[in-house]
Amino acid sequence: MSLQAGSYTHQEIMGQPQAWETTLQAAEQQIAPEDWLDKTSKLAYTLFVGCGSTYYLSLSIASLWRKLVGQPAWGLPASEVWLYPDYTLTTQAGDGLFIAVSRSGETTETLRALDIYQQRGSGSTLAVTCYADSSLARQAEHVWLARGAEEKSIAQTRSFTSMYLLLQVGAMLAAGRKDLLAQLRALPEQFVQLVGKYEVLVKGLAENPRFERFIFLGSGANYGLACEAMLKMKEMSLAPSEAFHFMEFRHGPKSVVAPGTLVVALPGEAACQWEAQVLSEVRALGASVLAIAENGKGVVADYMVELHSGLDELGRRRLAMPFLQLVAYYRSLYRGLDPDHPNHLDAVVRLE
Amino acid sequence: MSLQAGSYTHQEIMGQPQAWETTLQAAEQQIAPEDWLDKTSKLAYTLFVGCGSTYYLSLSIASLWRKLVGQPAWGLPASEVWLYPDYTLTTQAGDGLFIAVSRSGETTETLRALDIYQQRGSGSTLAVTCYADSSLARQAEHVWLARGAEEKSIAQTRSFTSMYLLLQVGAMLAAGRKDLLAQLRALPEQFVQLVGKYEVLVKGLAENPRFERFIFLGSGANYGLACEAMLKMKEMSLAPSEAFHFMEFRHGPKSVVAPGTLVVALPGEAACQWEAQVLSEVRALGASVLAIAENGKGVVADYMVELHSGLDELGRRRLAMPFLQLVAYYRSLYRGLDPDHPNHLDAVVRLE
């Protein structure tokens, strides 16, 4: 046990600026831009594979990859690749790339999924992990390390955003967009300013006894981040929480909205008009809305985190994560739980 | 309003054997096996697109397509294709097929998604719907109709399973597996027998005040069905309900399991050993388990619907749906709601 409930988690959430800096340096040492561009330009498809947090990371990065690189890319749960390979993988013409993401590099399902892909011999493999000496790092052809992003807590926070950062760099370089890297360098400083400005707001929402149910909405590359926020809330605070694509929420799930629901929204630039309409509808049904966006233009919300980053959406996306992590962290403490040691969970899922 | 709460929904759930028979006849009239096999054998990829129930249908059928046909196939929310096309679609070499699924054929997002795909000019298009004179049927190049599957209720039941049936036929014929069609012909009769045998069990579970939270687990092609079951429960009964891939459930969401949780499991043949382990774990945490499976071999559950269909997994899958629909239907009545008219929802989502 940690000495004080949640002390590791808090340290890891707040340590993200440092982890991002060391990881960005590591990315520059580990990825040779020209080789990577050459290799990826020939790909027919890319698969991103993980479990839990790293599955949601995979969903978001695959979406970003489609947008930036314009090639087919999909995020998959490792267990589905392992246990249902014929329902999940297919024969595809051309070169493929299989990117396995695991904080520990020891998650059984991810190792087995990598086995399956290697047995089928359909392409090359890359491990993204925090540990150089892990089984995953040894088994994959190539390795990218998120340096300084290791964690003592069970719930992933800085490891999530740091492995995300590595793959953001990968997507930008595969798109020949070196110019975007400067945006990533601005994030550690912006993190410090934004958390300084908004931590009190987020803590207040987490400790508001009125909220019994949390809904996270995001579309495009924000959908995977909304899912990760849902998981953080479940893991740390055990609060009922769900994630949906913005417009999908109206096709049924909206039926459960009531006063006591906090909808946390990650609107995107492309569809802000439609997403704002969804938020107006849930507010009319009595829910409260927290929106995390570059600015409040066009969005009516009860609470707002305005990033004012001045950065492109492709670079700034990760800035929403600390607030999604903090709302779960403070909710956990408020409920008398220990965010470092969630209910029924282990840090690494190993199967016999 | 219907005369009696839920009378339309009940009629539609129980009318599935007739709807399946007329839809199967319609499939045989509408699909020329040799032409279809010839056309699909040249495809580089197939996309299945819908909203809410038909999005979940798309997830399941895409998985079945990968398994049967061995070609890349993906299920996508129509709104993501429409509002985030660059994050969702990519340039792919070769012929593509875009299958838009909508009960009414009037869902705005699905029509707009079809627009987007047609503007990009990347392949051919097929509408799957219950209405021949709908906008979707007019806009797509080809149409398959689920005849006799129209509904008066808001929540989709027989339309879901009938449109699913059409696409099962499509996947089987695209795989050159005409032999499997005989299995589909056996389902209406099996439905009658199974519902006769198990309706009381399912009604009892729905009316058990002990259950406050419902979790649906399924992997491979069962994942989309688990999602649809989650949606039925939300729409009709407003009960907290969530769906997960079996093994993903252990990576965090398991933290919320407690006595009062009913886990409804759709185990698959390929991974029954591992899935049974997940069920043992949630039972040890105090949850109850209802398993719906061909037989109880290897699965320890508190309640069991054994299909004993003697059919291949590829054909019998849809037999689980009536029980997933009935548990939501009876839960709704038990809570004094009207399953025909869920909270805050409309039968067709039209946007201005």
Side-chain angles (χ1 to χ4, degrees):
Chain A
M1 292 291 282
S2 42
L3 295 177
Q4 202 185 340
S7 61
Y8 289 136
T9 303
H10 192 259
Q11 191 183 317
E12 287 155 8
I13 292 174
M14 292 307 184
Q16 286 177 100
Q18 291 73 41
W20 295 354
E21 276 173 11
T22 53
T23 294
L24 201 51
Q25 287 162 11
E28 287 168 359
Q29 290 156 9
Q30 296 175 93
I31 312 174
E34 282 68 31
D35 294 353
W36 177 246
L37 180 60
D38 181 56
K39 177 185 173 55
T40 52
S41 66
K42 295 168 190 150
L43 290 175
Y45 67 94
T46 302
L47 302 178
F48 298 87
V49 175
C51 296
S53 289
T54 56
Y55 165 49
Y56 299 136
L57 184 157
S58 296
L59 288 179
S60 178
I61 290 288
S63 178
L64 196 69
W65 189 276
R66 292 190 290 267
K67 164 76 177 168
L68 267 166
V69 189
Q71 292 170 354
W74 304 98
L76 301 171
S79 55
E80 298 284 307
V81 175
W82 166 35
L83 295 172
Y84 290 88
D86 296 341
Y87 285 94
T88 309
L89 302 175
T90 53
T91 314
Q92 290 194 249
D95 290 338
L97 174 61
F98 183 96
I99 302 183
V101 191
S102 167
R103 173 175 62 177
S104 67
E106 301 295 347
T107 310
T108 303
E109 286 138 88
T110 310
L111 292 166
R112 300 276 173 92
L114 180 56
D115 280 342
I116 292 276
Y117 190 78
Q118 288 177 325
Q119 282 161 24
R120 298 197 165 200
S122 15
S124 61
T125 59
L126 167 66
V128 173
T129 177
C130 297
Y131 295 91
D133 58 351
S134 62
S135 304
L136 194 71
R138 286 194 303 269
Q139 190 180 326
E141 288 168 59
H142 306 280
V143 187
W144 290 355
L145 287 176
R147 291 227 171 88
E150 305 87 346
E151 284 163 336
K152 291 186 177 154
S153 303
I154 286 175
Q156 304 191 14
T157 55
R158 76 176 173 200
S159 67
F160 179 93
T161 55
S162 299
M163 292 189 289
Y164 194 95
L165 168 57
L166 273 180
L167 288 165
Q168 266 183 312
V169 172
M172 289 170 175
L173 292 176
R177 294 291 306 274
K178 265 193 190 174
D179 59 300
L180 288 170
L181 296 186
Q183 306 226 346
L184 301 180
R185 288 189 201 103
L187 296 185
E189 174 57 25
Q190 297 221 353
F191 174 105
V192 175
Q193 285 178 18
L194 285 166
V195 170
K197 186 168 176 189
Y198 287 111
E199 186 174 7
V200 171
L201 167 69
V202 167
K203 184 166 185 281
L205 290 175
E207 295 174 352
N208 188 330
R210 193 163 157 255
F211 299 129
E212 297 163 352
R213 180 193 297 259
F214 298 82
I215 304 282
F216 298 91
L217 299 181
S219 282
N222 284 344
Y223 174 66
L225 301 185
C227 291
E228 167 64 1
M230 168 281 287
L231 190 62
K232 288 285 89 66
M233 190 55 93
K234 270 195 175 53
E235 288 179 322
M236 290 196 218
S237 84
L238 309 183
S241 62
E242 295 180 86
F244 296 95
H245 301 94
F246 262 94
M247 306 295 282
E248 273 294 299
F249 189 58
R250 308 166 85 189
H251 289 277
K254 196 181 75 170
S255 60
V256 300
V257 168
T261 304
L262 179 65
V263 174
V264 181
L266 305 174
E269 281 172 7
C272 195
Q273 170 203 354
W274 297 102
E275 293 171 354
Q277 230 176 74
V278 175
L279 299 181
S280 297
E281 284 174 27
V282 300
R283 291 185 74 228
L285 297 172
S288 300
V289 170
L290 164 65
I292 305 179
E294 178 66 3
N295 60 60
K297 220 174 65 186
V299 175
V300 178
D302 302 278
Y303 312 97
M304 183 84 75
V305 170
E306 295 188 90
L307 303 177
H308 291 306
S309 69
L311 302 177
D312 190 283
E313 199 172 25
L314 297 165
R316 72 166 182 260
R317 202 175 301 280
R318 213 160 7 97
L319 280 177
M321 287 312 300
F323 303 103
L324 302 171
Q325 295 160 350
L326 283 169
V327 74
Y329 169 80
Y330 282 118
R331 180 83 185 177
S332 177
L333 290 182
Y334 169 71
R335 291 202 52 202
L337 302 169
D338 181 355
D340 290 353
H341 293 91
N343 225 13
H344 314 324
L345 300 179
D346 300 312
V348 184
V349 176
R350 283 192 182 84
L351 307 174
E352 298 309 312
Chain B
M1 291 291 281
S2 42
L3 295 177
Q4 202 185 339
S7 61
Y8 289 136
T9 303
H10 192 259
Q11 192 183 316
E12 287 155 8
I13 292 174
M14 292 307 183
Q16 287 177 99
Q18 291 73 42
W20 295 354
E21 275 173 12
T22 53
T23 294
L24 201 51
Q25 287 161 12
E28 287 168 359
Q29 290 155 10
Q30 296 175 93
I31 312 173
E34 282 68 31
D35 294 353
W36 177 246
L37 180 60
D38 182 56
K39 178 185 173 53
T40 52
S41 66
K42 295 168 190 150
L43 290 175
Y45 68 93
T46 302
L47 303 177
F48 298 87
V49 174
C51 296
S53 289
T54 56
Y55 165 48
Y56 299 136
L57 184 157
S58 296
L59 288 179
S60 178
I61 289 288
S63 178
L64 196 69
W65 189 276
R66 293 190 290 267
K67 164 77 176 168
L68 267 165
V69 189
Q71 292 170 353
W74 304 99
L76 301 171
S79 56
E80 297 285 306
V81 175
W82 166 35
L83 295 172
Y84 290 88
D86 296 341
Y87 285 94
T88 308
L89 303 175
T90 53
T91 314
Q92 290 195 248
D95 290 338
L97 174 61
F98 183 96
I99 302 184
V101 191
S102 167
R103 173 175 61 177
S104 67
E106 301 295 346
T107 310
T108 304
E109 289 139 81
T110 310
L111 292 166
R112 299 277 172 91
L114 180 56
D115 280 342
I116 293 276
Y117 190 79
Q118 288 177 324
Q119 282 161 24
R120 298 198 164 199
S122 14
S124 61
T125 59
L126 168 66
V128 173
T129 177
C130 297
Y131 295 91
D133 58 351
S134 61
S135 304
L136 193 72
R138 286 194 303 270
Q139 189 181 326
E141 287 168 59
H142 306 281
V143 187
W144 289 356
L145 287 177
R147 291 227 171 87
E150 305 87 345
E151 283 163 336
K152 291 186 176 153
S153 303
I154 286 175
Q156 303 190 15
T157 55
R158 77 176 173 200
S159 68
F160 179 93
T161 55
S162 299
M163 292 188 290
Y164 194 96
L165 168 57
L166 273 180
L167 289 165
Q168 266 183 312
V169 173
M172 288 170 176
L173 291 176
R177 294 291 307 275
K178 266 192 190 175
D179 60 299
L180 288 170
L181 296 185
Q183 306 226 345
L184 301 180
R185 288 188 201 103
L187 296 185
E189 174 57 25
Q190 298 221 354
F191 173 105
V192 175
Q193 285 178 17
L194 285 166
V195 170
K197 186 168 176 188
Y198 287 111
E199 187 175 7
V200 172
L201 167 69
V202 167
K203 184 167 185 282
L205 291 175
E207 295 174 351
N208 189 329
R210 194 164 156 255
F211 299 129
E212 298 163 352
R213 179 193 297 258
F214 298 82
I215 304 283
F216 299 91
L217 299 181
S219 282
N222 284 344
Y223 175 66
L225 301 185
C227 291
E228 167 64 2
M230 167 281 287
L231 190 63
K232 288 285 89 64
M233 189 56 94
K234 271 195 173 53
E235 288 179 321
M236 290 196 218
S237 84
L238 308 183
S241 62
E242 295 180 86
F244 296 94
H245 301 93
F246 262 94
M247 306 296 281
E248 272 293 299
F249 189 57
R250 308 166 85 189
H251 289 277
K254 196 181 75 170
S255 60
V256 301
V257 168
T261 304
L262 180 65
V263 174
V264 181
L266 305 175
E269 281 172 8
C272 196
Q273 169 203 354
W274 297 102
E275 293 171 354
Q277 230 176 74
V278 175
L279 299 180
S280 298
E281 284 174 27
V282 300
R283 290 185 75 228
L285 297 172
S288 301
V289 170
L290 164 65
I292 305 179
E294 178 66 3
N295 60 59
K297 220 173 65 185
V299 175
V300 178
D302 302 278
Y303 312 97
M304 182 84 76
V305 170
E306 294 188 89
L307 302 177
H308 291 306
S309 69
L311 303 176
D312 190 283
E313 199 172 26
L314 297 165
R316 71 166 184 260
R317 202 175 301 280
R318 213 160 7 96
L319 279 177
M321 287 312 300
F323 303 103
L324 302 172
Q325 296 160 349
L326 283 169
V327 75
Y329 169 80
Y330 282 118
R331 180 82 184 176
S332 177
L333 290 182
Y334 169 71
R335 291 202 51 202
L337 302 169
D338 182 355
D340 290 354
H341 293 91
N343 225 14
H344 314 323
L345 300 180
D346 300 312
V348 183
V349 176
R350 283 193 182 84
L351 307 174
E352 298 309 312

